[in-house]
Amino acid sequence: MPPSLSPTPDSNPTTSPQKHTSNEMHSQVEEVQEQPTDPDWSELHRDVLLVIFDKIKTVEVLKSACTCKSWRMASREPECWRTIDMTNHGYKSGAFLLIDPTMFAIDLSQGRVEEFSIEAFGDDNLLQFLCDRTSVLKCLRLISCYFISEKGLAATIKKQPKLEEIQIAFGPFSNKVTEIVGMEAPQLKRFKFNALCMYPITGEVDEEDLSFDVAALGIAKTMHQLRHLQLTYNSITNRGLKAILEGCPHLETLDIRGCCNVCMDYDMWSLCARLTCLRQPNDSLDDYEFRDKLDDSGWHIDSVHGGSDYTDDGYIYESKSSNYDDASTDENKSSNYGCIFDDADS
């Protein structure tokens, strides 16, 4: 009688190595396919949020405050508002909507604002509001602020004894504003004065005619502690440049791009030899802060093409339809920032 055959391991379905391996692989595939749960961003630590807020612009901090209660609470820390930067916001003609959020940010700083920058909105009342709440300002930047007067600017600078940096770009200010700034801020270390256009000299100029060098002479007369100067698209001549170099003995860097009335001859080169950095009138504008406002020839687009708001003094004024007296009313608050005005406990 033939011996009985015992089943081989492969013939037993319960002990098949292949079947066991297949089950393990199937389990692993299921684990890989499981998606992790989305993180709860509202649980970010306060210190982490403060680091994030410190690296983004004020407009973005205001928007972030609308995300959730914890973010709104973090945004109310005074440390978030040492720098208030309301430039490059993209609001254009609707920039007046940023007045209330800016005032709210100033209040949140509890008097600790050190850098204040605005673009295309604001007036003397806003600067007064700022000065009533802080006196530790170190940097002031005004870009296309056509409703701020030279008198209002002077009053603001006078109330900020720690100011070391000022930028005035475009706006209704005359070349005389440089002397006004220098008289009120003799400790100034950095100054930028950016114009829309300059007036090239045609023909001979009377030696007693100082009209082309008003801005330069104002700087030379009052800003003796200046270290860094940017004077772009100004009508300054060699006489004005010489006055600056002699009147500002601590000057280290000078940017006079677009100042086509300056001729860099041997005498000018000799005077500029002590500077650590010199940007000449015809140097590249690729890294110029307002490069997007220039056409291919290097001229500011608004000053070339003019328009209904183009005036004989070379400035472009904003439409007078923007009513700043009505900007603080509730119905004019931007819907993007409405929640930050809500009670923190809501």
Side-chain angles (χ1 to χ4, degrees):
M1 185 174 181
S4 61
L5 298 176
S6 59
T8 62
D10 291 338
S11 62
N12 188 347
T14 60
T15 60
S16 173
Q18 292 181 349
K19 187 69 175 178
H20 182 68
T21 303
S22 176
N23 289 338
E24 286 183 347
M25 292 178 62
H26 182 69
S27 176
Q28 292 175 359
V29 169
E30 287 182 344
E31 290 179 0
V32 172
Q33 289 177 344
E34 291 182 1
Q35 297 294 329
T37 57
D38 292 334
D40 187 355
W41 299 110
S42 65
E43 295 182 356
L44 278 178
H45 194 275
R46 168 187 168 278
D47 292 341
V48 175
L49 285 173
L50 292 181
V51 171
I52 295 174
F53 290 164
D54 186 56
K55 296 182 181 298
I56 60 179
K57 288 199 171 185
T58 305
V59 169
E60 301 305 322
V61 178
L62 291 168
K63 291 180 179 179
S64 299
C66 301
T67 302
C68 59
K69 179 180 177 180
S70 62
W71 286 37
R72 184 162 64 252
M73 294 294 290
S75 72
R76 289 173 176 255
E77 293 291 335
E79 290 83 358
C80 294
W81 310 104
R82 289 196 303 267
T83 297
I84 297 179
D85 185 355
M86 303 295 273
T87 61
N88 297 321
H89 43 67
Y91 271 63
K92 297 183 180 180
S93 61
F96 72 92
L97 291 170
L98 297 174
I99 293 178
D100 277 349
T102 301
M103 294 170 68
F104 190 68
I106 293 171
D107 276 336
L108 288 174
S109 73
Q110 297 183 15
R112 303 181 191 180
V113 181
E114 296 181 359
E115 298 182 21
F116 186 73
S117 307
I118 56 176
E119 180 178 2
F121 73 95
D123 55 15
D124 293 352
N125 292 330
L126 180 60
L127 293 184
Q128 181 62 49
F129 184 88
L130 173 68
C131 291
D132 288 343
R133 287 156 177 79
T134 184
S135 59
V136 297
L137 203 64
K138 295 181 180 180
C139 174
L140 176 65
R141 299 174 63 235
L142 306 176
I143 301 173
S144 299
C145 297
Y146 292 91
F147 291 93
I148 293 178
S149 68
E150 292 182 353
K151 182 178 180 180
L153 175 62
T156 299
I157 297 174
K158 188 174 184 178
K159 295 178 181 178
Q160 303 296 333
K162 296 186 177 181
L163 263 178
E164 295 184 349
E165 178 178 352
I166 295 177
Q167 179 175 17
I168 301 174
F170 320 133
F173 306 102
S174 70
N175 283 324
K176 294 180 180 180
V177 74
T178 58
E179 183 172 354
I180 295 173
V181 169
M183 289 180 64
E184 300 297 346
Q187 74 286 353
L188 205 62
K189 300 294 190 299
R190 185 185 297 269
F191 183 58
K192 294 182 178 181
F193 189 42
N194 311 103
L196 271 175
C197 61
M198 53 82 63
Y199 298 99
I201 296 177
T202 56
E204 296 184 0
V205 178
D206 189 340
E207 292 184 359
E208 297 183 359
D209 182 7
L210 303 178
S211 60
F212 289 94
D213 292 306
V214 173
L217 296 177
I219 293 170
K221 181 180 179 181
T222 60
M223 302 184 187
H224 305 303
Q225 301 301 318
L226 204 61
R227 265 67 173 177
H228 308 281
L229 173 63
Q230 184 180 75
L231 191 65
T232 56
Y233 287 89
N234 193 270
S235 59
I236 177 177
T237 68
N238 285 29
R239 176 171 46 193
L241 178 56
K242 180 180 179 181
I244 289 175
L245 294 170
E246 293 177 349
C248 305
H250 304 290
L251 195 63
E252 300 173 8
T253 67
L254 175 64
D255 184 352
I256 51 173
R257 284 177 291 180
C259 299
C260 298
N261 290 335
V262 172
C263 177
M264 293 301 297
D265 54 21
Y266 178 81
D267 291 338
M268 286 295 98
W269 275 113
S270 299
L271 290 172
C272 293
R274 63 181 175 86
L275 300 176
T276 58
C277 180
L278 171 65
R279 305 302 296 270
Q280 302 179 57
N282 295 321
D283 278 358
S284 172
L285 294 160
D286 289 344
D287 62 344
Y288 182 47
E289 181 179 359
F290 305 108
R291 181 66 182 89
D292 60 332
K293 298 181 182 295
L294 303 177
D295 63 11
D296 293 336
S297 65
W299 290 93
H300 285 93
I301 296 172
D302 289 340
S303 65
V304 173
H305 298 293
S308 58
D309 293 328
Y310 185 70
T311 62
D312 292 337
D313 59 3
Y315 292 102
I316 307 299
Y317 289 96
E318 290 180 340
S319 173
K320 299 301 184 291
S321 61
S322 299
N323 191 341
Y324 285 83
D325 294 334
D326 296 336
S328 61
T329 58
D330 290 338
E331 58 269 21
N332 283 328
K333 289 180 181 178
S334 171
S335 58
N336 287 333
Y337 311 120
C339 65
I340 200 171
F341 294 92
D342 297 338
D343 186 11
D345 295 330
S346 60

